[in-house]
Amino acid sequence: MMQLRTLILTSVMLPWILSSAAKDEYMEVRKPKKDIVNFPDYATPQDRDTDPAVAPKADELPTCLLCVCLSGSVYCEEVSPEMSTVPALPKETAYLYARFNKITKISNRDFADMATLRRIDLSGNLIAEIDDGAFSKLPNLEELILAENRLTKLPILPTTLVSLNANFNKLRTQGVKATAFKKLTRLAYLYLGNNELTAVPQLPESLHVVHLHNNKILSITDETFCKGNTSYYIRTNMDEVRLDGNPVMLSKHPNSFICLHSLPIGWYN
């Protein structure tokens, strides 16, 4: 009797168990498989900003990604990451503005073969050295701005210059040759204020404005601005001279400005 009950139970339950197992297997097969995605281990934005090994350097970026390039003008002002050298410039660059960076030196190769350059503005950097030939092979350079740097001497300058601004440097007479501007026959604006010059260099006839204020100029002569051997000479181009803030006593040199249209501007003792 017991065996018969077991046989009946088995015959009833076995098909149900097999059917259930088959159903589970079918459902398992129908389940979509989950894709395993391996995400790269990117640094967080904060890590990229603070970790120098992760953050890109200025010299590793294309110039026109680091700076703004627009119709022959390149603007590299206060760029981030900090710029310590002059970037490679597009061949058609005519105007470069690389102000307020941390450039320390200008080498001969920085502007090699840049025949189109007309204006270079490097003010507000940390430039303490410029190779002698850095600007001498720029046939169209008219304006050079080196204000607010750490220069103690000037390099050879191109004869095409119309304006030179080297205010607020550490220029010394030993670093500015007496004839540094003699061949610059187009130079109209010369700004050498707030330096350490003790003498006035030779000034070309083409000058309209010369600023030499706040230096250490001790004396001038009748030939500094005029020609002492003639009273008929008039310096027709010279419109503005600044010598204030120097130890020289202008009252002791009454004939030094006789050829000028007007006396030096500024406050004098």
Side-chain angles (χ1 to χ4, degrees):
M1 186 68 178
M2 193 67 168
Q3 292 178 348
L4 180 59
R5 185 180 297 174
T6 302
L7 182 61
I8 293 172
L9 183 61
T10 301
S11 63
V12 174
M13 295 297 295
L14 184 59
W16 182 81
I17 294 172
L18 292 175
S19 175
S20 179
K23 183 179 180 182
D24 290 344
E25 183 177 356
Y26 172 74
M27 293 301 292
E28 187 67 28
V29 171
R30 285 178 59 87
K31 287 181 180 179
K33 293 183 178 180
K34 294 182 179 180
D35 294 332
I36 299 175
V37 180
N38 294 320
F39 291 98
D41 184 19
Y42 291 117
T44 63
Q46 184 177 1
D47 292 336
R48 292 187 64 84
D49 291 339
T50 57
D51 186 355
V54 177
K57 297 180 180 179
D59 56 6
E60 295 174 350
L61 294 173
T63 299
C64 291
L65 180 60
L66 181 67
C67 308
V68 176
C69 300
L70 181 64
S71 300
S73 298
V74 177
Y75 300 88
C76 301
E77 301 184 350
E78 295 182 290
V79 299
S80 180
E82 294 172 344
M83 180 185 294
S84 58
T85 58
V86 175
L89 300 173
K91 289 294 183 182
E92 69 277 8
T93 303
Y95 304 95
L96 170 64
Y97 302 90
R99 300 179 292 188
F100 311 116
N101 290 290
K102 293 192 175 181
I103 300 172
T104 58
K105 180 182 177 181
I106 307 299
S107 67
N108 288 334
R109 66 178 179 274
D110 287 335
F111 299 111
D113 303 320
M114 294 299 299
T116 55
L117 272 172
R118 298 172 65 89
R119 179 187 299 159
I120 297 175
D121 190 344
L122 296 167
S123 54
N125 278 278
L126 305 174
I127 302 170
E129 182 180 356
I130 300 177
D131 286 349
D132 247 348
F135 305 119
S136 59
K137 295 182 179 180
L138 300 177
N140 291 299
L141 188 65
E142 296 180 343
E143 187 172 357
L144 179 58
I145 305 174
L146 301 169
E148 298 180 62
N149 278 284
R150 301 179 178 180
L151 293 171
T152 58
K153 66 177 184 177
L154 290 177
I156 296 174
L157 300 168
T159 57
T160 54
L161 273 187
V162 174
S163 178
L164 172 65
N165 188 338
N167 285 339
F168 291 97
N169 274 276
K170 299 180 179 180
L171 292 174
R172 300 171 183 170
T173 297
Q174 299 92 325
V176 181
K177 296 179 180 179
T179 58
F181 310 110
K182 186 177 181 180
K183 295 182 179 180
L184 276 59
T185 56
R186 298 181 59 196
L187 189 65
Y189 305 95
L190 179 60
Y191 303 100
L192 298 175
N194 293 90
N195 279 284
E196 299 178 14
L197 299 173
T198 57
V200 178
Q202 294 182 23
L203 304 174
E205 293 286 331
S206 56
L207 275 180
H208 288 258
V209 175
V210 56
H211 286 187
L212 293 161
H213 56 287
N214 297 332
N215 275 275
K216 299 180 179 179
I217 297 172
L218 298 170
S219 64
I220 55 175
T221 70
D222 294 350
E223 295 186 355
T224 300
F225 297 96
C226 304
K227 295 179 180 179
N229 58 351
T230 176
S231 59
Y232 296 100
Y233 168 71
I234 301 297
R235 192 157 193 151
T236 56
N237 290 327
M238 187 72 77
D239 298 320
E240 184 175 298
V241 175
R242 279 196 68 179
L243 282 167
D244 50 311
N246 284 282
V248 61
M249 298 293 291
L250 299 189
S251 59
K252 295 182 178 180
H253 307 277
N255 295 325
S256 295
F257 310 103
I258 196 170
C259 66
L260 302 182
H261 293 299
S262 60
L263 294 175
I265 63 173
W267 293 95
Y268 300 92
N269 294 326

